[in-house]
Amino acid sequence: MAIEKILKDDASEEKGERARMASFVGAIAITDLVKTTLGPKGMDKILQSTGRGHEVTVTNDGATILKSLHIDNPAAKVLIDISKVQDDEVGDGTTSVVVLAGELLREAEKLVAAKIHPMTIISGYRMAAECARNALLQRVVDNKENAEKFKSDLMKIAMTTLSSKILSQDKEHFAQLAVDAVMRLKGSTNLEAIQIIKKPGGSLKDSFLDEGFILDKKIGLGQPKRIENAKILVANTAMDTDKVKIYGARVRVDSMSKVAEIEGAEKEKMREKVKKILGHGINCFVNRQLIYNFPEELFADAGILAIEHADFDGIERLALVTGGEIASTFDNPESVKLGHCKLIEEIMIGEDKLIHFSGVEMGQACTIVLRGASHHVLDEAERSLHDALCVLSQTVNDTRVLLGGGWPEMVMAKEVDELARKTPGKKSHAIEAFSRALVAIPTIIADNAGLDSADLVAKLRAEHHKEGCNAGIDVISGSVGDMAELGISEAFKVKQAVLLSATEAAEMILRVDEIITCAPRKREDRM
Amino acid sequence: MALAFDEYGRPFIILKEQEQKTRLRGIEAQKANISAGKAVARILRTSLGPKGMDKMLQSPDGDVTITNDGATILEQMDVDNQIAKLMVELSRSQDYEIGDGTTGVVVMAGALLEQAERLLERGIHPIRIAEGYEMASRIAVEHLDHIAQKFDFGPTNIEPLVQTCMTTLSSKIVNRCKRPLAEIAVKAVLSVADLERKDVNLDLIKVEGKVGGKLEDTELVYGITVDKDMSHPQMPKKIDDAKIAILTCPFEPPKPKTKHKVDIDTVEKFQTLRQQEQKYFDDMVQKCKDVGATLVICQWGFDDEANHLLMHRNLPAVRWVGGVELELIAIATGGRIVPRFQELTPEKLGRAGLVREKSFGTTKDKMLYIEHCANSRAVTIFIRGGNKMMIEETKRSIHDALCVARNLIRNNSIVYGGGSAEISCSIAVEAAADKYPGVEQYAIRAFADALDSVSIALAENSGLQPIETLSAVKSQQIKENNPHFGIDCNDVGTNDMREQNVFETLIGKQQQILLATQVVKMILKIDDVISPSDF
């Protein structure tokens, strides 16, 4: 008798070798997809959305590429997930983590074909990952004590991160921007405090960091365009019609005159509110919500700069920079903390008018204005800058630094190789495979740069045989160079996260020996 | 398909729309059912033991789950066959009762069904088989009682508990850091356990996960974590010796349940209403302040004005906290949940030594830790890991470990793992079989074979020669009269499970045998399957 069908109609089930094959193929396909974006000479991808307008994104950020893919293969989904987590956690290395996991699986496939049990491979990988991490730990440089050196470390990391992105032409400029911005955060990782304003026009070089704060808003009509020694009240309150919030209240009138009276009362109420606000002795008022014409006029009469509809982030940042608190009631002016700044003025960037707050008290937030030829360039610049900022802010907390340019991979590979030689049993094959997967990364970097990877990597390996070697791939000159001299650095935290999550993901996929796909949920066709 | 005919050969209609139904009867039905049950067991068979493999499951919505927890696999598999559903139920009930051994129970049932099929072919009546199984299971359970050992542990000596939890965790993907995780699980259970009554309320342990970081960063928080942040960005991020007001009423103007209308028809009314509104907000905050609260946790939202007033009066607040979390906070801090501002009194406030906000990674993720609570009975296990699937799987593994620790506190008897208990039972059942006259004898022997096949699966998954290993272990057990020999899955070099410290709980094992036998009996008794034919 035929084996009973136990799953639902459209469900599918893949077992043993087939299941493993499906995962390997899926994961390796994803890896090959993003592989070409790795390294300073990595290429970009164009992504076209299926949504309305078929928006186009040009990027070489691994996380962004993978996020926009619609994948059906479950193993591929695991890889996309680790890249997302890498993005959230450290911000950079999103491509590397996928490539390393993919290479680990590619090596594992060969081992499985050579009849080594996946569990043996996993335990080998685990030992290798541990060993690799220790190798890195031994070679990290920590310049926490020396502020000057640490700053130059940050600068190098920023340049290294940016060199693989669209900003690489002006990487010094942008690295400086990013380092300055992150140093202002004073150890906080809240990147929300760094505002990035994109204005098309000009060139990337014209981008700048503003010490103060720029709000992308217009100043109300007839109000002063320039205020010195501003006292700012940051508010989140309704300045349109101040509704009565008690439930069920409604206005019921029987004649036109009554309507007028109520309207008068409403106006009176608003006038009183404005008066109370004025009672704080301010000369600038920033509100999160709308300000209607009437109160705006009142503010203009009092010679106060009123800014409406600043979004929530804007308000929060403004509160951070100026040191004021966000107010919603105005009954006790003496205890509300006002924000201060030396000068508020309207400035022009390109064609747009913006409000510029300078000479602020607390420098925790700042603004970076990006200029560039097109929206695509700006978007990509923003992503790149975001990566750099993420890495820097993480490095400020964990100050350990490594060299870049394939150096860490070679150091790890060497140690792992050594371990393989010492380990008896089948595990040593897996450990060797791990080291091969590590070496694949500098190979890909070299390949992407159009260099002779086999030659370079072999040279590199020979160099690394010496103790305390700083050799890595110098993509610019196309040879093996001293990474310390070239100033190519990476954050230890990023490398560690790459190593651990890639191993974890590879392990997870290797352990699978059966894939059961449930019948897709039927969607009602509304079309 | 006709069921019965009258003397003229016309069919009686017994079932409604019987033409459209398929029907299997007698031996056919039993065989079909058995093969369905076996198919389910076959899927789980490779997940058994420390070297068991995982399954990747894609849900109807495309989400991916990777797990080797039997109950989870079966639940997500979305099976269609009735008998297969019974197997799913079986694993689920093991999960509810014991929490661990969900794979083992299904493999056991599958093995019993396989043996039953052979007996059926020899022409033994299904009921006799079922009865034989029943007797055998009784023998096995008694034997387990006999070989079980009690072991002592206390709040100071947690080592045995940790060892048992490690056995459970070693079959999961988290076995890389099973030691720390086992310790976390045991500590969590002990801190909520009522050792007098020998009971543990697992509801007091909250398992939270957040992607990012690594597995080693998983921690036990003596308190509660809430995935929320302070309602106002400028409120203090850290509060020492917090007195917490736990509210289920919103900081908003009252909304009476009865329908009403407030008519505004004069200017005076408009103004009084406005003043009342302001006063109302003021009163609410004042009341919280009056009773001495230094932190407000609210189930609902705040009005902007109320939010500012709270901020202004230096009263940090958290909004939109879920009901379950609210209850846990109340238990942990010893506070009372207050539904109305009027009912706030100083006694109803909860107390916590430290409340702090912690941010993660590069995104704006923040969590609130409430620690050093007045009543430290509620704890949280906070899991970190490289990706979402990892976290989910860790959650499941921790749940298993928690259940095992709880079972041990309820009943501190253990048996040794690694298949040793099954082999020992199998020997006992085999020996007892000869004492039974009648056909049941065969069923009892078959039961012993089924017990063996669990150990065979274990050996197969570990890459050992299954039959050779099993027979070696079996002869060793009989020769040395020592029930602690099992399958050496991890290639340690000894197969004495006592030396390897591989334990399982006695009730877990007993439950496995009993549940599996019950389900198999049920399946064997079915001799007629009527189902609507394919459409």
Side-chain angles (χ1 to χ4, degrees):
Chain A
M1 186 169 46
I3 290 181
E4 281 287 302
K5 201 172 59 128
I6 53 164
L7 293 167
K8 288 215 172 117
D9 271 346
D10 293 335
S12 70
E13 190 187 356
E14 285 180 73
K15 286 193 169 200
E17 282 309 302
R18 277 186 60 85
R20 209 165 284 131
M21 196 61 83
S23 330
F24 285 151
V25 167
I28 290 170
I30 288 288
T31 312
D32 286 342
L33 184 76
V34 292
K35 197 160 96 170
T36 53
T37 64
L38 197 71
K41 293 276 167 87
M43 304 301 274
D44 290 3
K45 308 264 175 230
I46 286 188
L47 307 166
Q48 192 171 23
S49 79
T50 48
R52 205 166 22 167
H54 293 281
E55 274 172 54
V56 170
T57 316
V58 183
T59 183
N60 86 358
D61 182 43
T64 313
I65 299 174
L66 294 176
K67 237 184 272 175
S68 21
L69 292 177
H70 297 285
I71 297 285
D72 213 27
N73 185 301
K77 278 195 180 144
V78 175
L79 288 194
I80 291 175
D81 198 56
I82 56 169
S83 146
K84 239 182 247 169
V85 172
Q86 178 86 5
D87 195 28
D88 289 348
E89 193 61 15
V90 286
D92 194 24
T94 51
T95 314
S96 318
V97 70
V98 176
V99 171
L100 184 58
E103 289 301 328
L104 285 175
L105 286 173
R106 200 193 298 269
E107 293 295 335
E109 191 187 5
K110 287 180 207 157
L111 293 179
V112 171
K115 298 273 179 288
I116 294 180
H117 194 267
M119 284 295 168
T120 319
I121 304 177
I122 287 170
S123 65
Y125 275 6
R126 259 186 208 166
M127 284 171 71
E130 194 55 42
C131 159
R133 189 166 160 257
N134 289 337
L136 283 188
L137 270 176
Q138 275 170 13
R139 303 288 301 267
V140 290
V141 183
D142 193 345
N143 285 330
K144 196 168 27 182
E145 310 303 324
N146 189 337
E148 197 55 38
K149 259 195 171 158
F150 180 55
K151 204 165 172 199
S152 84
D153 272 351
L154 284 184
M155 193 65 198
K156 283 181 201 159
I157 292 175
M159 296 224 304
T160 312
T161 307
L162 290 174
S163 67
S164 66
K165 315 273 160 147
I166 196 167
L167 299 177
S168 65
Q169 292 304 319
D170 310 299
K171 62 180 173 192
E172 271 150 58
H173 182 62
F174 282 101
Q176 194 64 50
L177 279 187
V179 172
D180 283 348
V182 169
M183 292 305 265
R184 293 170 76 91
L185 290 179
K186 300 189 178 75
S188 136
T189 53
N190 186 4
L191 291 179
E192 297 283 318
I194 300 175
Q195 188 190 15
I196 299 181
I197 293 181
K198 297 175 283 185
K199 286 284 164 202
S203 75
L204 279 172
K205 249 212 169 91
D206 298 333
S207 310
F208 60 94
L209 172 85
D210 199 274
E211 297 279 321
F213 181 76
I214 291 179
L215 203 60
D216 195 354
K217 288 284 168 267
K218 290 199 178 61
I219 295 179
L221 262 178
Q223 292 166 346
K225 298 274 186 263
R226 184 187 160 90
I227 295 179
E228 280 180 41
N229 283 332
K231 293 200 202 77
I232 309 161
L233 179 66
V234 187
N236 175 15
T237 184
M239 290 300 273
D240 36 6
T241 47
D242 207 353
K243 291 190 288 281
V244 175
K245 285 168 195 153
I246 292 176
Y247 183 71
R250 62 167 186 179
V251 179
R252 172 173 250 161
V253 288
D254 42 18
S255 71
M256 283 306 285
S257 61
K258 285 270 172 67
V259 176
E261 271 172 39
I262 300 272
E263 201 196 338
E266 254 178 20
K267 267 201 174 157
E268 195 51 45
K269 185 182 171 193
M270 185 50 73
R271 200 186 299 273
E272 227 169 81
K273 192 166 184 181
V274 172
K275 217 184 224 167
K276 269 188 205 155
I277 294 171
L278 297 184
H280 289 67
I282 53 162
N283 46 22
C284 174
F285 176 73
V286 185
N287 192 12
R288 186 170 86 82
Q289 300 173 24
L290 283 174
I291 304 178
Y292 267 27
N293 290 353
F294 176 64
E296 193 176 332
E297 188 194 318
L298 291 178
F299 283 123
D301 283 349
I304 286 181
L305 176 63
I307 302 164
E308 63 168 0
H309 218 241
D311 53 46
F312 203 80
D313 289 341
I315 284 285
E316 248 177 63
R317 284 191 204 113
L318 198 61
L320 268 179
V321 255
T322 59
E325 69 182 37
I326 302 171
S328 293
T329 55
F330 310 98
D331 289 327
N332 350 31
E334 60 289 339
S335 57
V336 172
K337 253 171 65 193
L338 294 181
H340 295 278
C341 78
K342 291 251 163 54
L343 177 70
I344 302 176
E345 59 180 343
E346 201 174 53
I347 53 164
M348 300 270 289
I349 296 177
E351 281 188 343
D352 297 306
K353 286 180 189 165
L354 303 165
I355 305 167
H356 182 225
F357 297 76
S358 55
V360 289
E361 274 192 349
M362 317 228 285
Q364 282 205 19
C366 58
T367 303
I368 294 175
V369 179
L370 286 178
R371 307 298 310 276
S374 74
H375 277 292
H376 302 307
V377 172
L378 284 176
D379 284 347
E380 176 65 0
E382 189 192 359
R383 273 190 294 274
S384 317
L385 202 58
H386 173 255
D387 278 8
L389 290 173
C390 287
V391 175
L392 289 180
S393 68
Q394 292 295 327
T395 319
V396 171
N397 288 341
D398 183 345
T399 54
R400 288 171 290 185
V401 172
L402 294 165
L403 295 178
W407 177 84
E409 282 81 12
M410 294 310 289
V411 169
M412 289 191 274
K414 187 184 157 205
E415 288 296 318
V416 172
D417 257 341
E418 211 114 292
L419 177 74
R421 253 171 258 156
K422 277 182 275 181
T423 315
K426 284 190 225 169
K427 270 184 221 160
S428 74
H429 292 288
I431 299 173
E432 238 175 56
F434 195 93
S435 113
R436 274 201 300 279
L438 284 171
V439 176
I441 290 188
T443 315
I444 295 170
I445 294 180
D447 274 339
N448 284 348
L451 304 171
D452 183 352
S453 60
D455 179 47
L456 268 181
V457 172
K459 266 187 200 157
L460 200 56
R461 190 192 288 261
E463 283 290 323
H464 270 269
H465 209 63
K466 291 179 222 149
E467 226 18 77
C469 147
N470 291 333
I473 294 183
D474 179 1
V475 178
I476 310 300
S477 69
S479 61
V480 172
D482 187 327
M483 290 295 122
E485 271 171 32
L486 288 167
I488 297 176
S489 300
E490 279 180 81
F492 169 71
K493 198 162 173 192
V494 175
K495 274 283 137 172
Q496 175 182 283
V498 167
L499 185 71
L500 294 180
S501 355
T503 321
E504 224 165 60
E507 197 176 293
M508 203 147 184
I509 294 173
L510 270 174
R511 279 175 67 103
V512 171
D513 76 335
E514 181 153 345
I515 301 176
I516 297 170
T517 314
C518 293
R521 199 183 294 287
K522 296 268 186 314
R523 295 218 168 72
E524 273 144 59
D525 256 327
R526 292 205 195 84
M527 311 290 269
Chain B
M1 170 187 53
L3 298 164
F5 301 93
D6 65 6
E7 57 208 276
Y8 303 109
R10 284 176 306 197
F12 284 116
I13 306 293
I14 300 171
L15 291 165
K16 209 175 166 189
E17 294 171 346
Q18 70 179 6
E19 302 302 309
Q20 283 154 37
K21 302 208 163 135
T22 53
R23 187 171 182 208
L24 283 174
R25 310 191 54 175
I27 200 91
E28 283 294 298
Q30 270 137 3
K31 282 204 175 154
N33 291 343
I34 286 174
S35 84
K38 268 164 58 191
V40 173
R42 209 174 313 128
I43 291 174
L44 287 194
R45 198 178 158 95
T46 51
S47 287
L48 194 73
K51 294 274 169 88
M53 306 293 278
D54 289 3
K55 309 279 174 245
M56 196 184 265
L57 301 147
Q58 201 168 13
S59 80
D61 297 324
D63 296 333
V64 177
T65 310
I66 299 180
T67 182
N68 82 1
D69 180 53
T72 315
I73 297 173
L74 290 179
E75 218 149 290
Q76 304 253 336
M77 236 166 58
D78 202 14
V79 293
D80 209 16
N81 184 293
Q82 306 309 317
I83 300 300
K85 275 187 188 153
L86 269 181
M87 302 291 268
V88 175
E89 283 294 317
L90 165 70
S91 154
R92 199 177 298 159
S93 54
Q94 173 85 7
D95 195 29
Y96 286 156
E97 265 305 294
I98 308 295
D100 188 28
T102 50
T103 314
V105 70
V106 176
V107 173
M108 177 81 205
L112 285 175
L113 285 174
E114 203 171 325
Q115 295 295 334
E117 195 178 16
R118 261 178 234 163
L119 295 180
L120 279 176
E121 268 166 20
R122 287 203 212 162
I124 299 179
H125 193 271
I127 298 292
R128 305 297 287 270
I129 304 176
E131 266 160 23
Y133 278 181
E134 182 68 37
M135 288 171 196
S137 74
R138 231 175 289 138
I139 300 166
V141 168
E142 263 164 38
H143 182 71
L144 279 179
D145 265 331
H146 185 64
I147 60 168
Q149 293 188 341
K150 296 236 174 230
F151 70 174
D152 293 321
F153 58 87
T156 45
N157 176 22
I158 59 168
E159 189 56 30
L161 283 178
V162 174
Q163 290 289 354
T164 321
C165 285
M166 273 166 66
T167 310
T168 305
L169 291 176
S170 65
S171 67
K172 315 278 175 188
I173 192 165
V174 294
N175 66 5
R176 179 157 47 99
C177 47
K178 60 181 171 186
R179 174 90 212 179
L181 285 182
E183 273 172 21
I184 285 174
V186 171
K187 278 184 196 152
V189 168
L190 278 180
S191 60
V192 301
D194 189 344
L195 290 176
E196 296 288 300
R197 281 196 307 126
K198 291 197 166 185
D199 199 10
V200 184
N201 184 358
L202 285 186
D203 288 343
L204 293 177
I205 302 176
K206 197 166 152 229
V207 183
E208 276 270 350
K210 201 154 195 104
V211 283
K214 44 186 190 293
L215 210 49
E216 284 85 351
D217 297 336
T218 302
E219 56 177 344
L220 178 66
V221 181
Y222 288 97
I224 309 285
T225 61
V226 189
D227 201 352
K228 291 277 177 292
D229 51 358
M230 297 289 183
S231 62
H232 197 289
Q234 286 163 326
M235 283 177 179
K237 307 278 182 236
K238 193 177 153 202
I239 305 156
D240 288 317
D241 287 323
K243 297 202 184 72
I244 306 169
I246 305 160
L247 298 171
T248 53
C249 46
F251 273 85
E252 272 167 12
K255 283 184 185 164
K257 300 274 187 316
T258 43
K259 214 168 179 187
H260 73 289
K261 290 210 168 68
V262 184
D263 281 347
I264 305 171
D265 48 6
T266 62
V267 174
E268 291 79 51
K269 274 197 186 165
F270 181 77
Q271 272 157 357
T272 38
L273 209 56
R274 211 179 88 206
Q275 272 153 17
Q276 264 183 2
E277 184 189 282
Q278 266 172 2
K279 193 167 161 296
Y280 188 78
F281 281 129
D282 225 34
D283 280 354
M284 285 192 296
V285 177
Q286 194 55 42
K287 266 185 195 123
C288 300
K289 203 72 189 166
D290 280 346
V291 294
T294 55
L295 174 69
V296 178
I297 291 179
C298 184
Q299 196 176 3
W300 302 98
F302 303 162
D303 192 87
D304 284 343
E305 277 187 58
N307 201 3
H308 176 252
L309 277 174
L310 284 169
M311 155 81 192
H312 195 74
R313 302 270 175 93
N314 210 358
L315 192 59
V318 188
R319 56 182 154 184
W320 297 121
V321 178
V324 184
E325 280 157 340
L326 211 64
E327 256 170 50
L328 273 175
I329 293 174
I331 293 172
T333 59
R336 290 264 297 277
I337 298 177
V338 182
R340 257 179 265 277
F341 286 100
Q342 290 78 12
E343 283 162 24
L344 267 177
T345 53
E347 304 86 67
K348 287 181 181 168
L349 297 183
R351 269 153 222 281
L354 176 68
V355 177
R356 63 196 165 97
E357 203 179 87
K358 197 175 169 190
S359 54
F360 295 98
T362 61
T363 46
K364 227 171 106 188
D365 274 350
K366 279 178 193 151
M367 287 193 87
L368 206 64
Y369 281 57
I370 303 173
E371 288 174 290
H372 308 297
C373 299
N375 171 7
S376 66
R377 292 281 305 280
V379 295
T380 305
I381 298 175
F382 189 60
I383 299 171
R384 308 298 311 274
N387 54 48
K388 201 172 77 224
M389 296 122 204
M390 192 77 187
I391 300 255
E392 291 300 314
E393 177 68 359
T394 313
K395 269 191 193 167
R396 282 188 287 268
S397 314
I398 288 270
H399 167 254
D400 283 6
L402 289 176
C403 290
V404 168
R406 176 195 60 180
N407 295 339
L408 278 177
I409 287 174
R410 279 194 188 155
N411 180 352
N412 63 351
S413 308
I414 49 130
V415 290
Y416 288 91
S420 66
E422 280 89 354
I423 297 174
S424 169
C425 281
S426 145
I427 296 170
V429 172
E430 185 90 55
D434 300 337
K435 291 182 202 138
Y436 285 87
V439 193
E440 283 86 358
Q441 200 185 86
Y442 281 88
I444 295 173
R445 283 213 191 93
F447 192 91
D449 284 343
L451 280 169
D452 279 347
S453 77
V454 175
S455 314
I456 289 184
L458 207 57
E460 262 173 23
N461 290 346
S462 315
L464 303 168
Q465 292 291 336
I467 296 173
E468 278 172 34
T469 321
L470 177 69
S471 38
V473 171
K474 217 171 186 178
S475 75
Q476 206 174 359
Q477 275 209 8
I478 295 175
K479 220 183 287 163
E480 301 181 27
N481 195 17
N482 179 351
H484 304 150
F485 291 112
I487 312 274
D488 179 18
C489 300
N490 288 323
D491 217 14
V492 180
T494 166
N495 50 13
D496 189 340
M497 290 298 134
R498 197 155 44 169
E499 275 172 42
Q500 281 201 23
N501 282 327
V502 178
F503 313 115
E504 281 175 78
T505 53
L506 170 68
I507 39 176
K509 206 71 305 159
Q510 284 180 334
Q511 196 74 21
Q512 267 187 6
I513 293 180
L514 290 175
L515 279 177
T517 316
Q518 249 172 45
V519 167
V520 169
K521 261 172 68 186
M522 195 186 321
I523 294 177
L524 283 176
K525 277 188 177 168
I526 302 171
D527 77 335
D528 200 341
V529 182
I530 302 170
S531 53
S533 66
D534 294 334
F535 27 91

